[in-house]
PDB file of all heavy atoms in Angstrom:
ATOM      1  N   ILE A 300     -42.392 131.247-176.254  1.00 98.00           N
ATOM      2  CA  ILE A 300     -43.323 130.140-176.664  1.00 98.00           C
ATOM      3  C   ILE A 300     -42.560 128.849-177.094  1.00 98.00           C
ATOM      4  O   ILE A 300     -42.951 127.738-176.939  1.00 98.00           O
ATOM      5  CB  ILE A 300     -44.310 130.566-177.750  1.00 98.00           C
ATOM      6  CG1 ILE A 300     -45.473 129.558-177.826  1.00 98.00           C
ATOM      7  CG2 ILE A 300     -43.722 130.786-179.145  1.00 98.00           C
ATOM      8  CD1 ILE A 300     -46.737 130.031-178.522  1.00 98.00           C
ATOM      9  N   ASP A 301     -41.280 128.983-177.589  1.00 98.00           N
ATOM     10  CA  ASP A 301     -40.565 127.925-178.065  1.00 98.00           C
ATOM     11  C   ASP A 301     -39.440 127.535-176.988  1.00 98.00           C
ATOM     12  O   ASP A 301     -38.576 126.780-177.249  1.00 98.00           O
ATOM     13  CB  ASP A 301     -39.826 128.157-179.428  1.00 98.00           C
ATOM     14  CG  ASP A 301     -40.985 128.390-180.448  1.00 98.00           C
ATOM     15  OD1 ASP A 301     -41.892 127.606-180.500  1.00 98.00           O
ATOM     16  OD2 ASP A 301     -40.812 129.314-181.271  1.00 98.00           O
ATOM     17  N   GLY A 302     -39.550 128.194-175.801  1.00 98.00           N
ATOM     18  CA  GLY A 302     -38.524 128.061-174.789  1.00 98.00           C
ATOM     19  C   GLY A 302     -38.824 126.977-173.807  1.00 98.00           C
ATOM     20  O   GLY A 302     -39.849 126.360-173.829  1.00 98.00           O
ATOM     21  N   PRO A 303     -37.930 126.806-172.779  1.00 98.00           N
ATOM     22  CA  PRO A 303     -38.053 125.715-171.823  1.00 98.00           C
ATOM     23  C   PRO A 303     -39.274 125.715-170.898  1.00 98.00           C
ATOM     24  O   PRO A 303     -39.749 124.732-170.399  1.00 98.00           O
ATOM     25  CB  PRO A 303     -36.757 125.749-171.111  1.00 98.00           C
ATOM     26  CG  PRO A 303     -36.263 127.110-171.213  1.00 98.00           C
ATOM     27  CD  PRO A 303     -36.710 127.576-172.627  1.00 98.00           C
ATOM     28  N   GLN A 304     -39.766 127.027-170.687  1.00 98.00           N
ATOM     29  CA  GLN A 304     -40.947 127.033-169.656  1.00 98.00           C
ATOM     30  C   GLN A 304     -42.246 126.886-170.429  1.00 98.00           C
ATOM     31  O   GLN A 304     -43.329 126.762-169.785  1.00 98.00           O
ATOM     32  CB  GLN A 304     -40.919 128.345-168.980  1.00 98.00           C
ATOM     33  CG  GLN A 304     -39.830 128.410-167.972  1.00 98.00           C
ATOM     34  CD  GLN A 304     -39.573 129.855-167.456  1.00 98.00           C
ATOM     35  OE1 GLN A 304     -38.981 130.740-168.034  1.00 98.00           O
ATOM     36  NE2 GLN A 304     -40.180 130.093-166.234  1.00 98.00           N
ATOM     37  N   SER A 305     -42.294 126.727-171.749  1.00 98.00           N
ATOM     38  CA  SER A 305     -43.539 126.695-172.471  1.00 98.00           C
ATOM     39  C   SER A 305     -44.014 125.238-172.524  1.00 98.00           C
ATOM     40  O   SER A 305     -43.323 124.286-172.780  1.00 98.00           O
ATOM     41  CB  SER A 305     -43.258 127.196-173.875  1.00 98.00           C
ATOM     42  OG  SER A 305     -44.366 126.869-174.680  1.00 98.00           O
ATOM     43  N   GLU A 306     -45.297 125.087-172.155  1.00 98.00           N
ATOM     44  CA  GLU A 306     -46.064 123.734-172.180  1.00 98.00           C
ATOM     45  C   GLU A 306     -47.117 123.718-173.261  1.00 98.00           C
ATOM     46  O   GLU A 306     -48.049 123.065-173.083  1.00 98.00           O
ATOM     47  CB  GLU A 306     -46.489 123.382-170.805  1.00 98.00           C
ATOM     48  CG  GLU A 306     -45.427 123.149-169.737  1.00 98.00           C
ATOM     49  CD  GLU A 306     -44.490 122.106-170.016  1.00 98.00           C
ATOM     50  OE1 GLU A 306     -44.649 121.304-170.895  1.00 98.00           O
ATOM     51  OE2 GLU A 306     -43.404 122.132-169.361  1.00 98.00           O
ATOM     52  N   VAL A 307     -47.025 124.590-174.262  1.00 98.00           N
ATOM     53  CA  VAL A 307     -48.144 124.822-175.172  1.00 98.00           C
ATOM     54  C   VAL A 307     -48.545 123.532-175.956  1.00 98.00           C
ATOM     55  O   VAL A 307     -49.651 123.340-176.329  1.00 98.00           O
ATOM     56  CB  VAL A 307     -47.963 126.063-176.024  1.00 98.00           C
ATOM     57  CG1 VAL A 307     -47.883 127.324-175.194  1.00 98.00           C
ATOM     58  CG2 VAL A 307     -46.780 125.920-177.001  1.00 98.00           C
TER      59      VAL A 307
END
Side-chain angles (χ1 to χ4, degrees):
I300 196 167
D301 299 317
Q304 287 171 281
S305 172
E306 297 297 348
V307 299

